[in-house]
Amino acid sequence: MADKECWSMDPDFQCTTAPNARVAYHLTLLRSGFCESFQRILHLLSVAVTSPQASIRCRSLKALLPILEADPFIIDHTSLVKTLVSSRMKDISVAVRESSLRLISRCRELKPHVGVEVMPEIVRRVADDSITIRRRAMKILTEIYLHHPEGSTSSGIAEALLHRVADLDQTVRELACQSLAEIWISPYQPALTGKGACRTKLAVVKHLGLIARTVQRNRCLPAMLTTALQTILVTPSQGTAILNVYQLFVARLFEMIETPTRKGDGSMEPAATFQVLLIFAKTNAAHIFTMQQIRLLQPYVGQIGSADDMSTYRSVVSILSHVLPRVSNVDSVLLRSIGTDLIRQVSRFNRPILHEVIRCLQTLSEIIQDKQPLTRLTLSCLENIRKMVGVRIHGPDEQDAFRKIKKLLLIAGMCGRLCNFEAQLEVFQTRFSDWGGQSVSELMIATFSRFSSPGPPTDLRMAALDAICMVCQLWPKHFASAMVSAQFEKAFEEKDASLETIILTSFKEFLLAKEQHSEASDGVAVKLDHIGGSQLDRVAAFITQTFMSHRKDLTRIALATQDEQALLAVEVLASMHRQGLLHPKEYAPICIALETSHNRRIADLSYRMHQILHSKYETIIATEYMRAVDVAYEYQRDVVGNVRGATCDPYLSILHPMVEVIKAGRSNGRTKFHESLCTRIDLDLSHTSRLDLPQYLQRSQFVLENIAFFEYASVKELTAALIAMEKVFTRSGVVVVDAIATEILGGMSSVEKSGRNDPNRLQVLAAFATVLSSLWHTKAYLTQQYGLSGTRCSAPNETSTDSGKAPSKVDNIDGQALWERSGEKDGKERRLKLDQVGKKGNSRARDKMKMSLASFVKH
């Protein structure tokens, strides 16, 4: 073949075409040794993807990419590839998960259906711990949605994106809003008139049906969609176009109310239609509702029936309260008629609906400038509450009176929260001539306080305390009044969870309102424009100093459980933290303990607070890290129910969130932390009289297991930890061995005869020997895990470039042996042996312990 003249002179040789030549070339290549080894190459890569070493797993995934790009046929006809890539998306290593997502993104470009097949796992990555992973997964999901907008996966993708609107990271929140704009808003920006208008109208109806189905999947999604729509609306480059899309959606929703769609045409239940309308109403966008559309809502105000009707009723009333201030050419007669219908039925509503009704009545009174209906309602409630003071409400025959007063407290408290009656002070003074106060809010609190003190049933106290807290939301100065603060302190002293929850909720709402002074979030905070900023600061400082700094009530509740009450306390602390109301040392240990919680929301909030604290006050809070370790141990022991310092499968230290935050700081600070942590297990034989040996053993195990399973950021930190452990072992080991040899082994018979062989002393020495043994095994494990040679460690050269690099782990070495050695069973056995040694007359157990100590000294 190399001799072209030979082939050209051969009469039997015929020239071939270029396509045939390429086919022949490909066939020749396929029969080559390299191509015949392709399956073996693919198998080796698949094995490498499951390697114990994260770097190898990451590189093998990257090596798959050019192979799949060269031959996309492999993606469909080799299920192994999709299985491997999907499994690596759950890898413990962030780099591996990111490489897996990159590979999935490229495979989706080559074979679009691949994205749909692996979508469930991509959706799970949207909630990944890594910000980078969350962002990449969101981008992939957005691309999948845009290529399959009619698919069954659309709602799941949209839900995953909506959840990220409340993400703790700002860049993730911004990307979530941007993605929602791309999939739900931007496709409907062009003018939908002219040719194809009918088809487009049906598409909009189906799209609104998809939005309704999505927000009904989770109770928190409507609020998240509202936030997203508000953020999208303020985009400078597309503000007007976005507003036009909102107007279009609202118009279509009202058309669906007037003329319900047929089944199969994107039909929606009335409750779902009004829920979506409410979401757009809460965006507070101007000119997307018209007065004619408001007229269509009036018939629903007077209709109350089944539970579905109540849901529709609440949505309609809330829509009115949000939209009416932004609608021009209002009809006063229509508004008065709506107000009359609302007040006539006010006693029938539960708390959520009553909140919307009173707020709507307040909006109506401001528009028509007539506050008499609300004033009369509040006066009537207060008058009836005052009449019921002293009425017997404890017995079963007085249940009607009990329910009545609870309802009156709820209505009056809601009016006090949402309505300012100070301009009607004379009206209230005239009605209650025996009252000499100068503030309607004071009258309300004084009236409610008669039922919030100890004595009445707890449910009634809760209702009264709730009413007081509602008034304080509009007039925060009362939080610092002697009457209200005394009520709060009494409730905290009783440690009644129901009363404490009401107070914590009021603290949270006030502090959020203070944070968002100019733009209070709907349904959570109240506008405080009528209050001076200095007064708000004084009240916030009073709450912080009284219930956090002095009484420690917030700390106690936050560290007591992992339930919703604890989360509420953490949310209050987070708001105080954002406003700078606390000294960093005061709550840094609390944050570090709480970020180990099994409650994800508590852990995330605490971790975020710790990150900010460390970035701003690293030097200050570094002095509190050892105290934080103690608080974290006690929290794990008493609340979580765990005394181990790590988790298995995978092996991960309990304090790993703390270490991740510290990694962002200075190298010297990290080194000092690891050195200080080792000193927490130092032993002192001169101070053992008050030592709780079982707790000492558990605490030491907790510290050592954390040290063993930390992810060290540099060789320098690892070496510093090993040197510190060696120092502790050497310093304490000499003392303990000397004490054992002198007191136990050196003169056993004479000591026993003299009666100096104290079982308690034997217990102490046995416990110290156990801890030293565990310390040595932990050091040995770290030495093997990171491939360090020699039994003694030396300080690394500061100028060496290797000291700043992350240490590499040795393959096929995990922590199973160490984990099992210090496991729960062995720990219980050690504590049991110590208890047996301490019992009088149990000489056999003491003899066995002496033999064990002798073996320890020998080794």
Side-chain angles (χ1 to χ4, degrees):
M1 293 181 66
D3 189 353
K4 297 180 180 179
E5 293 184 1
C6 177
W7 289 102
S8 61
M9 294 172 62
D10 188 349
D12 296 330
F13 178 76
Q14 296 180 0
C15 293
T16 185
T17 61
N20 289 340
R22 281 195 293 270
V23 172
Y25 175 70
H26 289 159
L27 291 173
T28 304
L29 281 179
L30 289 173
R31 295 297 303 272
S32 67
F34 176 78
C35 288
E36 288 183 347
S37 302
F38 176 74
Q39 290 298 329
R40 176 169 172 76
I41 294 172
L42 199 61
H43 173 71
L44 290 175
L45 283 175
S46 66
V47 172
V49 167
T50 60
S51 168
Q53 199 74 7
S55 59
I56 296 177
R57 297 196 299 272
C58 187
R59 291 173 184 173
S60 60
L61 287 171
K62 293 178 179 178
L64 275 174
L65 182 58
I67 296 176
L68 299 179
E69 288 177 338
D71 187 6
F73 179 83
I74 302 173
I75 299 174
D76 286 334
H77 293 79
T78 307
S79 60
L80 180 64
V81 174
K82 286 185 284 189
T83 303
L84 284 175
V85 175
S86 298
S87 64
R88 289 306 99 196
M89 280 195 281
K90 297 178 284 188
D91 197 278
I92 188 175
S93 169
V94 175
V96 175
R97 296 200 301 273
E98 185 175 5
S99 297
S100 179
L101 284 175
R102 287 180 183 272
L103 191 57
I104 284 293
S105 179
R106 184 56 180 154
C107 289
R108 193 204 61 78
E109 294 174 3
L110 299 171
K111 299 287 183 178
H113 63 85
V114 173
V116 178
E117 293 177 7
V118 298
M119 192 209 74
E121 187 56 43
I122 300 176
V123 168
R124 284 189 279 271
R125 290 308 100 211
V126 171
D128 196 275
D129 292 335
S130 168
I131 295 174
T132 305
I133 300 297
R134 295 203 296 271
R135 288 174 55 84
R136 185 168 296 280
M138 290 164 62
K139 291 178 180 178
I140 296 175
L141 288 178
T142 303
E143 294 170 357
I144 294 174
Y145 188 104
L146 292 174
H147 284 84
H148 304 276
E150 302 295 332
S152 58
T153 59
S154 302
S155 186
I157 293 175
E159 180 185 5
L161 294 174
L162 279 171
H163 279 293
R164 292 305 99 202
V165 173
D167 196 276
L168 293 176
D169 183 77
Q170 182 178 355
T171 61
V172 176
R173 294 196 300 269
E174 292 173 352
L175 181 59
C177 293
Q178 178 185 334
S179 300
L180 288 168
E182 291 179 14
I183 64 175
W184 274 1
I185 306 299
S186 298
Y188 300 91
Q189 285 189 17
L192 302 179
T193 57
K195 186 177 180 179
C198 293
R199 180 187 61 80
T200 307
K201 178 179 179 180
L202 181 59
V204 172
V205 171
K206 289 184 176 180
H207 179 58
L208 291 171
L210 173 64
I211 293 176
R213 291 193 300 274
T214 302
V215 298
Q216 287 177 333
R217 293 167 70 114
N218 192 302
R219 293 178 60 184
C220 65
L221 293 181
M224 293 179 179
L225 179 55
T226 300
T227 302
L229 293 176
Q230 290 173 332
T231 305
I232 295 169
L233 186 62
V234 298
T235 304
S237 60
Q238 299 182 344
T240 304
I242 297 296
L243 195 62
N244 292 335
V245 176
Y246 290 4
Q247 289 175 339
L248 171 68
F249 288 170
V250 169
R252 291 288 178 266
L253 288 167
F254 274 103
E255 289 177 7
M256 294 166 68
I257 293 173
E258 284 188 286
T259 309
T261 56
R262 301 188 306 274
K263 293 289 183 181
D265 292 342
S267 59
M268 295 168 56
E269 295 294 333
T273 305
F274 284 109
Q275 184 182 32
V276 178
L277 268 177
L278 176 59
I279 291 172
F280 284 100
K282 287 182 176 181
T283 61
N284 297 326
H287 312 302
I288 64 173
F289 286 81
T290 65
M291 194 61 205
Q292 184 59 36
Q293 292 169 343
I294 298 301
R295 293 182 187 278
L296 297 175
L297 299 178
Q298 184 188 10
Y300 294 92
V301 175
Q303 297 179 3
I304 303 179
S306 63
D308 292 338
D309 293 335
M310 291 299 287
S311 176
T312 299
Y313 187 91
R314 179 182 178 183
S315 297
V316 169
V317 173
S318 187
I319 290 169
L320 290 172
S321 63
H322 282 89
V323 170
L324 284 175
R326 293 171 176 80
V327 175
S328 56
N329 302 322
V330 294
D331 185 347
S332 299
V333 176
L334 173 67
L335 299 187
R336 290 182 184 276
S337 175
I338 292 174
T340 301
D341 290 337
L342 291 175
I343 286 189
R344 188 177 65 251
Q345 303 171 106
V346 73
S347 62
R348 303 177 59 182
F349 304 130
N350 57 21
R351 182 191 180 100
I353 299 180
L354 183 64
H355 181 275
E356 303 298 338
V357 168
I358 299 298
R359 185 170 59 180
C360 187
L361 287 170
Q362 172 64 14
T363 302
L364 293 173
S365 68
E366 291 176 351
I367 295 174
I368 63 179
Q369 298 183 352
D370 182 8
K371 212 161 190 173
Q372 288 186 10
L374 271 175
T375 303
R376 288 195 296 267
L377 174 64
T378 306
L379 284 169
S380 175
C381 289
L382 291 176
E383 192 171 34
N384 281 283
I385 291 172
R386 288 163 67 94
K387 288 179 181 179
M388 299 192 73
V389 174
V391 174
R392 177 180 171 82
I393 53 177
H394 291 275
D397 298 334
E398 291 82 20
Q399 289 304 304
D400 289 340
F402 181 73
R403 285 191 292 269
K404 178 180 178 181
I405 192 169
K406 283 181 63 178
K407 178 63 72 173
L408 289 171
L409 287 167
L410 177 60
I411 296 173
M414 199 67 72
C415 290
R417 172 183 178 136
L418 299 173
C419 309
N420 185 349
F421 294 110
E422 297 307 317
Q424 288 75 35
L425 176 61
E426 293 182 1
V427 178
F428 283 84
Q429 288 176 332
T430 302
R431 178 68 67 92
F432 304 106
S433 56
D434 58 333
W435 172 67
Q438 298 299 317
S439 169
V440 177
S441 59
E442 289 180 7
L443 169 65
M444 289 183 169
I445 289 176
T447 303
F448 303 152
S449 296
R450 303 182 184 187
F451 296 95
S452 61
S453 302
T458 302
D459 286 351
L460 186 56
R461 288 185 65 192
M462 290 171 58
L465 195 61
D466 186 31
I468 292 174
C469 290
M470 284 192 279
V471 176
C472 290
Q473 296 302 318
L474 189 64
W475 302 102
K477 64 180 181 181
H478 294 299
F479 276 121
S481 67
M483 179 184 296
V484 174
S485 62
Q487 297 272 357
F488 289 175
E489 290 177 9
K490 185 65 177 176
F492 281 125
E493 288 171 2
E494 294 176 7
K495 296 183 180 180
D496 188 312
S498 56
L499 299 178
E500 289 176 339
T501 299
I502 291 173
I503 298 172
L504 290 176
T505 302
S506 69
F507 287 169
K508 173 188 170 182
E509 292 177 354
F510 164 69
L511 291 170
L512 286 177
K514 182 178 177 298
E515 285 186 73
Q516 308 161 356
H517 189 196
S518 59
E519 45 183 6
S521 62
D522 174 67
V524 175
V526 182
K527 288 187 176 180
L528 298 174
D529 296 336
H530 61 290
I531 306 295
S534 59
Q535 183 183 129
L536 296 177
D537 292 337
R538 287 196 298 271
V539 174
F542 174 83
I543 293 174
T544 304
Q545 293 171 5
T546 303
F547 300 102
M548 177 61 190
S549 300
H550 296 162
R551 292 178 51 85
K552 306 293 184 184
D553 293 307
L554 292 176
T555 302
R556 171 180 59 80
I557 296 171
L559 293 174
T561 63
Q562 299 185 88
D563 58 12
E564 292 300 314
Q565 186 184 17
L567 174 61
L568 197 57
V570 175
E571 289 173 334
V572 174
L573 286 176
S575 184
M576 292 176 175
H577 152 77
R578 290 191 295 268
Q579 299 178 58
L581 297 171
L582 292 165
H583 191 280
K585 285 188 175 183
E586 193 171 356
Y587 65 107
I590 302 171
C591 294
I592 292 168
L594 291 173
E595 67 189 9
T596 67
S597 173
H598 288 181
N599 185 319
R600 180 65 180 271
R601 295 171 67 188
I602 291 177
D604 287 347
L605 269 175
S606 304
Y607 182 75
R608 181 62 176 166
M609 283 192 283
H610 184 197
Q611 279 184 315
I612 297 174
L613 278 174
H614 188 81
S615 64
K616 292 182 178 180
Y617 313 105
E618 179 180 358
T619 305
I620 296 176
I621 66 171
T623 60
E624 298 296 309
Y625 277 151
M626 292 305 104
R627 184 164 71 93
V629 171
D630 292 339
V631 177
Y633 163 72
E634 293 168 1
Y635 180 75
Q636 286 287 314
R637 180 195 65 195
D638 300 335
V639 179
V640 181
N642 168 60
V643 294
R644 302 300 299 268
T647 59
C648 60
D649 195 23
Y651 294 105
L652 191 65
S653 67
I654 294 295
L655 296 176
H656 77 273
M658 176 185 186
V659 174
E660 289 300 317
V661 172
I662 295 175
K663 284 181 181 179
R666 296 191 297 268
S667 173
N668 291 337
R670 298 196 299 268
T671 303
K672 185 176 180 180
F673 165 76
H674 290 294
E675 292 174 343
S676 300
L677 187 59
C678 294
T679 62
R680 302 301 290 175
I681 54 176
D682 209 350
L683 310 102
D684 188 356
L685 282 174
S686 62
H687 298 85
T688 59
S689 57
R690 298 183 179 180
L691 183 63
D692 186 340
L693 290 181
Q695 287 302 315
Y696 171 73
L697 286 171
Q698 286 185 356
R699 188 186 300 268
S700 300
Q701 178 189 20
F702 179 81
V703 173
L704 287 172
E705 288 181 344
N706 272 286
I707 293 173
F709 297 109
F710 279 149
E711 290 292 334
Y712 292 91
S714 67
V715 174
K716 178 183 177 182
E717 297 170 29
L718 174 61
T719 307
L722 291 172
I723 293 173
M725 294 168 72
E726 191 170 297
K727 288 180 178 178
V728 171
F729 185 85
T730 303
R731 180 174 57 250
S732 302
V734 170
V735 178
V736 173
V737 168
D738 182 66
I740 294 173
T742 304
E743 301 178 24
I744 306 299
L745 306 178
M748 186 177 297
S749 58
S750 60
V751 170
E752 287 179 350
K753 291 178 182 178
S754 63
R756 290 170 50 207
N757 194 352
D758 185 6
N760 293 332
R761 184 64 170 177
L762 186 59
Q763 282 184 309
V764 170
L765 293 175
F768 282 12
T770 300
V771 172
L772 285 173
S773 179
S774 299
L775 174 63
W776 187 255
H777 286 294
T778 302
K779 178 181 177 295
Y781 162 73
L782 287 172
T783 303
Q784 295 175 1
Q785 176 71 84
Y786 292 98
L788 300 178
S789 59
T791 58
R792 297 185 64 85
C793 299
S794 59
N797 188 353
E798 295 290 340
T799 60
S800 174
T801 56
D802 293 337
S803 64
K805 294 181 180 179
S808 298
K809 293 184 178 180
V810 177
D811 293 343
N812 302 322
I813 293 181
D814 59 19
Q816 183 176 359
L818 180 68
W819 180 262
E820 293 176 351
R821 183 178 185 83
S822 61
E824 184 177 357
K825 181 179 179 181
D826 291 341
K828 286 182 177 179
E829 289 179 354
R830 288 195 296 267
R831 291 192 292 274
L832 180 60
K833 289 179 181 178
L834 286 177
D835 292 340
Q836 291 175 345
V837 169
K839 293 180 179 179
K840 292 184 177 180
N842 200 341
S843 59
R844 184 177 180 182
R846 287 196 289 274
D847 291 341
K848 287 185 177 180
M849 184 60 71
K850 292 172 187 177
M851 293 176 63
S852 298
L853 291 175
S855 176
F856 169 76
V857 171
K858 180 180 179 181
H859 286 85

